Amino acid sequence: MTFWRSIAAQVSGLRVRLILAFALLGVTTTSVVASGSYFQARTVILQQAQDAAVLSLTDQLTKVYPISQIPPTQAELDLLAQRLSDREGFAVVLYRNMRGQGSQTSAPLTPELRQAVSDGQIAWQRVSLNGQPWLLIGTQLKLDRTDGTSQASGLEVYSVRSLVPEQQSIDRLATRAWLTGGFSLVLAVLLALLSARGVLRPVRDLGRAARRLGEGDLSTRLTVRGVDELADVARTFNETAGTLERQVGELRRMEADARRFVADVSHELRTPLAAMTAVTDVLDEEADHLPGDAGRAARLVSQEAQNLTQLVNDLMEVSRFDSGTARLALDEVDVGAAVTATLRIRGWVDRVRADLPPGVLARLDPRRLDVIVANLVGNAFRHGAEPVSVRLSADPDWVTIEVADQGPGLDPEVLPHVFDRFYKADTARTRSEGSGLGLAISWENARLHRHGERRGALVAGNGPAGGAVFTLRLPRETTDAGGDR
């Protein structure tokens, strides 16, 4: 399919269209000019041959007068035909049923020609005789009376002249017309190629520059040649690329500053958070012994300290993803056993319906697999409804883990944003449990696993019977120790 699409693109390309346009213009112009010249020259040649033959016949007839008697004898008809014949043709003389002819070749006298001659006209007609063109000219001889008038003699004289020389001249004209047309076509194609080269080179340069710009090379610029419209396009492209480079550079600087700020703040918070965690551990031990509001306040402080610690850890993880420093610690893992360990550590074994066949081995990062599964199952408990199921399947290239619940499922408007950072389906619940980073971190962890062109993926959807379904697919043989974004 791609091959035929490439062929179609080449056939419909600008170069081909320019060549076809020039060739069509050249052929049309040459055809019109050559055809007009050919038919005009052909008419002139035949007209000149015809006029010359008529004059020659008239001149010859003046030399053979007078006819001694009417009706003439057969011998006189033969003699007259002989005298009117020459090397360019022959003559036919008719008188009623008598014929005098100075050649052995019979002339194809048509009824139309004979009728015109009988009416007293000088008539002519072009015919083909033995595969060659001939000119037939006919006239009627008249007798002069003593009173100065003339009368019809009944004698019809037909001159049959070959048009082979004229036909050869016409054929040479046709050959020259064809040669001129062919030369014009070649010239038109050459001009089209030159024009296409002059037009397409800047277009190709612009296309390559646009591709490099789209690939992220913001320093791409075009060489401006000339002062035509294509030069204006090149200058506009350079101005646009310069503006884009400045704006993207500023955005990258701001993004780098924001990432550094988050990383620095998260790092600086770890020390006071460690102290707060130690204090909250003491408060947890004493909360049950504290009266009323003091006990509730101690438990609230402990919970919020844990949430803050988790948020700082998530922010540090996100900053590593953004900076490209996140790396995998790969190991040969029994995936079913690793998922079971995740559920057991968090006390979910009895609450989850697990279909985890043993012996499914994969080379991946077990810590990141634990984070993904924990986030998916915890999300199902918080926002879905039990029972929650975890199912493992595998093929030679992929490992698939499916986490499903029996809750209301995901709204179609929510699906495109499930893995966005800090996104919460219920925007009114600003104090809802969780930071909105768990699914985003799980998605990033899945994409870190890759093998060649195969890359891990995490997809959200709804089951046919309702409930949200999250599907994790990881390559069984991860070879990259880290992943680019």
Side-chain angles (χ1 to χ4, degrees):
M1 192 67 177
T2 303
F3 172 76
W4 290 112
R5 191 174 299 166
S6 175
I7 294 297
Q10 293 179 4
V11 171
S12 60
L14 184 58
R15 179 190 296 273
V16 175
R17 284 184 285 173
L18 278 174
I19 292 175
L20 290 178
F22 272 81
L24 182 61
L25 177 62
V27 169
T28 303
T29 304
T30 303
S31 299
V32 172
V33 174
S35 298
S37 301
Y38 168 78
F39 286 111
Q40 184 177 5
R42 179 176 180 271
T43 302
V44 170
I45 290 173
L46 293 177
Q47 187 66 44
Q48 288 178 348
Q50 179 178 292
D51 294 344
V54 171
L55 290 175
S56 175
L57 177 61
T58 304
D59 183 62
Q60 288 178 329
L61 287 176
T62 59
K63 296 178 181 179
V64 300
Y65 278 123
I67 302 298
S68 59
Q69 61 179 0
I70 295 295
T73 65
Q74 184 63 49
E76 288 179 325
L77 290 179
D78 292 339
L79 178 61
L80 180 59
Q82 275 186 347
R83 293 178 66 182
L84 292 176
S85 299
D86 55 28
R87 61 183 180 180
E88 295 180 0
F90 59 92
V92 176
V93 183
L94 301 177
Y95 183 78
R96 296 179 182 175
N97 295 329
M98 302 169 61
R99 169 178 294 204
Q101 185 172 327
S103 173
Q104 299 298 323
T105 307
S106 60
L109 302 180
T110 62
E112 296 82 0
L113 181 64
R114 296 215 45 194
Q115 182 63 44
V117 172
S118 299
D119 294 339
Q121 302 176 13
I122 298 178
W124 53 83
Q125 189 175 32
R126 290 189 291 271
V127 297
S128 178
L129 183 61
N130 297 328
Q132 294 182 347
W134 293 82
L135 175 63
L136 304 181
I137 303 175
T139 185
Q140 190 178 103
L141 290 180
K142 295 183 179 180
L143 295 178
D144 295 331
R145 294 179 176 179
T146 56
D147 58 1
T149 61
S150 60
Q151 65 177 4
S153 64
L155 286 171
E156 297 177 0
V157 178
Y158 296 93
S159 176
V160 184
R161 294 185 175 271
S162 174
L163 292 178
V164 171
E166 287 76 10
Q167 184 62 46
Q168 291 175 346
S169 298
I170 293 172
D171 291 341
R172 285 193 295 270
L173 283 175
T175 301
R176 290 174 184 172
W178 281 108
L179 291 175
T180 302
F183 177 76
S184 299
L185 178 59
V186 172
L187 182 61
V189 171
L190 291 177
L191 290 175
L193 290 174
L194 291 175
S195 300
R197 181 181 179 185
V199 173
L200 292 180
R201 183 172 62 182
V203 174
R204 285 195 297 266
D205 292 343
L206 179 61
R208 286 193 291 265
R211 282 192 294 271
R212 291 198 301 270
L213 193 66
E215 292 169 356
D217 185 5
L218 300 181
S219 63
T220 301
R221 298 293 185 274
L222 288 173
T223 302
V224 180
R225 300 183 181 90
V227 293
D228 55 7
E229 289 80 359
L230 292 175
D232 291 339
V233 172
R235 279 190 287 270
T236 302
F237 177 87
N238 290 340
E239 294 171 359
T240 303
T243 303
L244 183 62
E245 184 178 19
R246 290 190 297 272
Q247 292 178 349
V248 171
E250 182 66 18
L251 290 175
R252 287 175 176 173
R253 185 190 63 78
M254 294 172 61
E255 184 180 8
D257 291 345
R259 291 174 180 174
R260 186 165 53 252
F261 174 77
V262 172
D264 292 344
V265 169
S266 300
H267 181 75
E268 293 298 325
L269 286 175
R270 297 188 71 179
T271 300
L273 281 176
M276 290 175 62
T277 302
V279 173
T280 56
D281 289 341
V282 175
L283 289 177
D284 286 339
E285 295 177 358
E286 300 295 333
D288 294 336
H289 305 290
L290 295 175
D293 292 340
R296 286 192 296 273
R299 285 188 287 271
L300 178 61
V301 169
S302 177
Q303 182 61 45
E304 291 300 325
Q306 293 177 9
N307 293 339
L308 181 59
T309 301
Q310 182 62 42
L311 175 60
V312 170
N313 290 334
D314 289 345
L315 289 174
M316 293 187 66
E317 186 74 3
V318 167
S319 68
R320 283 191 286 269
F321 288 132
D322 290 342
S323 62
T325 59
R327 293 292 180 265
L328 298 177
L330 298 177
D331 194 8
E332 193 77 18
V333 176
D334 185 325
V335 180
V339 174
T340 301
T342 298
L343 299 177
R344 183 175 58 253
I345 290 172
R346 290 162 178 82
W348 294 336
V349 173
D350 296 333
R351 300 175 60 189
V352 173
R353 294 178 178 177
D355 180 9
L356 306 171
V360 177
L361 302 179
R363 183 173 174 79
L364 46 80
D365 187 329
R367 184 185 71 83
R368 296 186 185 276
L369 176 63
D370 175 78
V371 171
I372 296 172
V373 174
N375 278 329
L376 295 181
V377 175
N379 187 73
F381 283 133
R382 284 192 300 273
H383 304 292
E386 298 187 37
V388 175
S389 62
V390 179
R391 187 172 64 88
L392 169 65
S393 60
D395 58 37
D397 297 323
W398 296 93
V399 172
T400 303
I401 299 175
E402 187 178 277
V403 178
D405 63 63
Q406 299 300 315
L410 298 170
D411 190 276
E413 295 181 358
V414 173
L415 278 174
H417 308 286
V418 166
F419 300 110
D420 293 350
R421 296 174 183 177
F422 300 105
Y423 180 80
K424 297 181 181 180
D426 187 357
T427 56
R429 295 172 61 196
T430 56
R431 293 292 299 166
S432 61
E433 186 178 357
S435 62
L437 288 174
L439 291 179
I441 292 175
S442 298
W443 185 82
E444 295 281 5
N445 279 326
R447 285 176 54 81
L448 280 179
H449 293 78
R450 61 187 301 174
H451 176 71
E453 296 298 324
R454 295 196 297 270
R455 193 166 196 165
L458 180 58
V459 180
N462 291 313
V469 178
F470 287 84
T471 304
L472 170 67
R473 298 183 76 237
L474 301 176
R476 295 193 70 164
E477 186 62 33
T478 299
T479 55
D480 293 348
D484 57 16
R485 291 179 60 80

